[in-house]
């Protein structure tokens, strides 16, 4: 894609800062650089006086010029590294947008141009956004692997196999009299289709782990009023995030804090005390608590060891740790607890955090696994798997070939590369149809 205009934006962080990076991309880039900074060597960092069109010095800074197509966007790209004051950055942007054909970039437009120019596919683009937004080590590793093309290669490999399978089937249908077309490819094709159905199914199952990496391992604290839920919540948050009193029903809504445990994002949720509610607002809070616990990755069921109270039914099918609280006041631990803690003196909290981190790591699984990172990936993968299942169910060869085409189309949509000529390329290269 050849852009008619050039775009410019501040590409570094919030100002003021030590350095501000101004990035420009498009056909006017070289002219802008030579006007503001003079001639610079491609791909080398050069210190220059940066001037307006009338020669007024704006700042002293570094200039880098990357000629297309060997740049991030595939176009001519330049960066000006200047002092990070708001005044300097504003003057640089004002000067650059003063050139004909140069405008301010829209959000994400540099990456959009990179995609349109074939420098990135859709999964790599999404992974780049994840990498920029990564807050934990697990998120960084996950995003970086996908940005380097792990997802793209997996989906593209499945698509290549489907294009090849369809080419074999259609070659058998249309060119059976040709000597260089195999007489029967059905057994080979359909065994590979069956394998792909299984592979895609296993891959889709990994979406839960990807959600935990991206959104966090959710831990919900449940218990009766005054069981120590908010005290534990504050102890884990290391701040007064929840109000703690002796009055039952103080917490009525869901409170959440995010922790970074051994490089993993963990969300701790405090909830209303479970009891027979005395008011409408508290009833709503208890209903929300039970609903939240039902979808959690781990439930911490707290019980005051001095004055145990029944909480009624607890969620089933959700991993649960039963925890005795107020260990600093109770020397004899009655009841069956997975562990006992004291939010007041901190006893047991380190063990609890270790156990949460262990369970979060187990939920994420092998860091080397390639996982679907977006719901749209899962939806398209399920559609592709459905078409493959229909193709394998035993229809006419023509209909089965069409189901393969639809499955390959869905995989192509994930990476943003759908080309109807791919199948013809396979046929011509392998069977010499045009001889």
């Amino acid at each position: 894609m050849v852009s008619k205009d050039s775009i410019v934006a501040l590409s570094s962080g919030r100002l003021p800062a030590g350095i501000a990076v101004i990035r420009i991309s498009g056909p006017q880039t070289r002219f802008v650089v030579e006007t503001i900074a003079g001639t610079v060597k491609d791909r080398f960092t050069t210190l220059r006086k940066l001037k307006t069109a009338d020669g007024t010095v704006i700042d002293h800074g570094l200039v880098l010029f990357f000629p297309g197509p060997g740049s991030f966007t595939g176009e001519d790209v330049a960066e000006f590294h200047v002092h990070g004051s708001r005044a300097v950055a504003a003057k640089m942007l004002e000067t650059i947008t003063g050139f004909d054909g140069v405008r301010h970039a829209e959000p994400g437009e540099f990456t959009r141009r990179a995609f349109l120019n074939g420098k990135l596919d859709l999964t790599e683009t999404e992974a780049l956004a994840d990498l920029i937004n990564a807050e934990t080590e697990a998120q960084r590793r996950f995003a970086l692997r996908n940005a380097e093309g792990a997802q793209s290669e997996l989906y593209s490999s499945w698509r290549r196999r489907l294009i090849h399978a369809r080419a074999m089937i259609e070659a058998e249908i249309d060119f059976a009299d040709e000597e260089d077309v195999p007489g029967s490819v059905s057994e080979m094709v359909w065994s590979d289709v069956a394998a792909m159905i299984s592979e895609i199914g296993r891959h889709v199952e990994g979406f839960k782990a990807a959600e935990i990496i991206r959104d966090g391992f959710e831990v919900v604290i449940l218990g009766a009023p005054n069981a120590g839920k908010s005290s534990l919540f504050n102890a884990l948050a290391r701040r007064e995030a929840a109000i703690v009193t002796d009055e039952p029903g103080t917490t009525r809504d869901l409170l959440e804090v995010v922790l970074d445990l051994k490089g993993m994002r963990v969300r701790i949720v405090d909830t209303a005390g479970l009891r027979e509610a005395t008011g409408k607002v508290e009833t709503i809070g208890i209903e929300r608590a039970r609903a939240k616990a039902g979808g959690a990755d781990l439930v911490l069921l707290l019980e005051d060891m001095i004055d145990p109270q029944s909480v009624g039914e607890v969620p089933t099918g959700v991993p649960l740790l039963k925890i005795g609280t107020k260990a600093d006041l109770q020397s004899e631990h009655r009841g069956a607890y997975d562990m006992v803690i004291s939010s007041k003196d901190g006893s047991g909290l380190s063990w609890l955090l270790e156990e949460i981190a262990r369970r979060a790591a187990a939920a994420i699984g092998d860091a080397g696994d390639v996982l679907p990172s977006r719901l749209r990936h899962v939806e398209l993968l399920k559609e592709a798997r459905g078409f493959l299942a229909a193709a394998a169910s035993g229809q006419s060869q023509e209909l089965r070939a069409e189901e393969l085409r639809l499955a390959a189309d869905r995989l192509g949509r994930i990476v943003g590369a759908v080309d109807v000529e791919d199948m013809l390329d396979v046929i011509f290269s392998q069977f010499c149809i045009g001889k």
Side-chain angles (χ1 to χ4, degrees):
M1 182 195 80
V2 178
S3 302
K4 294 182 180 179
D5 54 2
S6 297
I7 54 175
V8 63
L10 174 68
S11 292
S12 52
R14 181 179 299 177
L15 301 177
I19 296 292
V21 178
I22 311 293
R23 177 183 288 174
I24 177 172
S25 176
Q28 289 82 11
T29 299
R30 186 181 289 275
F31 177 71
V32 170
V33 169
E34 291 179 349
T35 303
I36 292 177
T39 303
V40 297
K41 189 174 181 180
D42 295 355
R43 301 184 183 282
F44 276 79
T45 303
T46 308
L47 179 62
R48 285 283 192 270
K49 285 184 180 180
L50 308 177
K51 303 178 181 179
T52 63
D54 63 8
T56 303
V57 176
I58 303 171
D59 194 10
H60 295 76
L62 301 176
V63 185
L64 297 93
F65 179 77
F66 305 92
S71 68
F72 172 69
T73 64
E75 306 172 328
D76 286 351
V77 173
E79 290 182 355
F80 299 95
H81 294 210
V82 296
H83 292 96
S85 76
R86 293 186 178 92
V88 170
K91 189 63 178 178
M92 284 293 298
L93 291 170
E94 176 190 330
T95 301
I96 294 172
T97 54
F99 289 86
D100 290 339
V102 183
R103 61 174 174 81
H104 290 284
E106 297 293 332
E109 194 168 1
F110 286 94
T111 305
R112 182 184 179 90
R113 291 192 177 197
F115 168 69
L116 293 175
N117 287 321
K119 307 299 288 187
L120 300 169
D121 64 27
L122 284 182
T123 56
E124 291 168 338
T125 299
E126 291 166 334
L128 184 59
D130 288 343
L131 186 59
I132 291 171
N133 294 320
E135 297 177 337
T136 66
E137 177 63 13
Q139 290 174 335
R140 183 195 67 80
R141 291 197 305 267
F142 182 58
L144 182 61
R145 187 149 192 257
N146 290 333
E148 291 177 340
Q151 276 183 332
S152 177
E153 176 53 33
L154 177 63
Y155 301 147
S156 296
S157 69
W158 282 335
R159 184 165 173 261
R160 287 193 296 269
R161 286 161 66 183
L162 287 180
I163 292 171
H164 179 269
R166 186 181 168 213
M168 298 297 103
I169 294 298
E170 298 215 352
E172 188 177 69
I173 294 171
D174 297 333
F175 305 103
D177 58 338
E178 296 286 341
E179 294 180 358
D180 50 3
V181 176
S184 176
V185 297
S186 294
E187 183 177 347
M188 175 185 67
V189 166
W190 300 119
S191 64
D192 191 41
V193 167
M196 274 187 280
I197 292 173
S198 178
E199 291 169 19
I200 292 174
R202 288 195 300 271
H203 180 68
V204 168
E205 290 174 358
F207 183 56
K208 176 62 177 176
E211 282 187 308
I212 291 174
I213 294 173
R214 285 170 49 85
D215 301 330
F217 184 79
E218 187 173 74
V219 180
V220 173
I221 304 174
L222 283 186
N226 291 333
K229 300 184 303 301
S230 295
S231 295
L232 173 60
F233 183 75
N234 288 340
L236 296 179
R238 296 185 179 181
R239 60 185 174 87
E240 294 298 315
I243 299 173
V244 179
T245 72
D246 294 331
E247 180 183 340
T250 302
T251 302
R252 298 191 175 190
D253 207 349
L254 303 176
L255 301 177
E256 181 176 303
V257 67
V258 177
L259 306 180
D260 184 340
L261 296 184
K262 297 187 177 180
M264 295 170 290
R265 192 172 195 260
V266 175
R267 293 184 290 119
I268 308 293
V269 182
D270 188 18
T271 63
L274 304 183
R275 65 170 179 168
E276 289 295 326
T278 59
K280 184 176 180 180
V281 174
E282 188 180 356
T283 298
I284 294 173
I286 291 172
E287 290 174 352
R288 289 182 178 177
R290 293 190 186 279
K292 192 70 169 176
D297 298 307
L298 175 64
V299 169
L300 305 181
L301 182 59
L302 272 57
E303 185 174 274
D304 183 346
M305 293 186 293
I306 298 174
D307 183 22
Q309 300 290 326
S310 173
V311 296
E313 294 184 3
V314 296
T316 58
V318 178
L320 183 145
L321 285 175
K322 187 176 181 181
I323 299 174
T325 63
K326 305 181 182 179
D328 56 306
L329 302 177
Q330 177 62 275
S331 59
E332 295 182 6
H333 304 147
R334 299 187 300 271
Y337 301 109
D338 294 305
M339 66 174 299
V340 295
I341 64 169
S342 169
S343 299
K344 185 174 182 179
D345 64 19
S347 61
L349 294 187
S350 295
W351 185 94
L352 177 58
L353 288 172
E354 285 286 337
E355 181 63 13
I356 292 173
R358 185 190 69 78
R359 289 175 180 250
I364 291 172
D366 187 351
D369 291 342
V370 180
L371 307 173
S373 57
R374 291 290 192 284
L375 183 59
R376 78 171 190 93
H377 299 176
V378 173
E379 292 172 346
L380 288 168
L381 287 165
K382 286 181 177 179
E383 288 183 27
R385 192 168 184 263
F387 288 127
L388 290 179
S393 64
Q395 312 170 55
S396 68
Q397 293 288 66
E398 290 83 357
L399 291 176
R400 299 174 90 180
E402 175 63 9
E403 299 287 0
L404 294 180
R405 184 191 71 78
L406 292 171
D409 173 80
R410 297 311 186 270
L411 293 173
R413 292 184 188 185
I414 298 177
V415 297
V418 177
D419 187 353
V420 296
E421 297 299 320
D422 287 354
M423 183 198 65
L424 297 179
D425 291 340
V426 173
I427 292 178
F428 292 147
S429 64
Q430 294 198 7
F431 298 105
C432 305
I433 299 304
K435 64 180 182 181

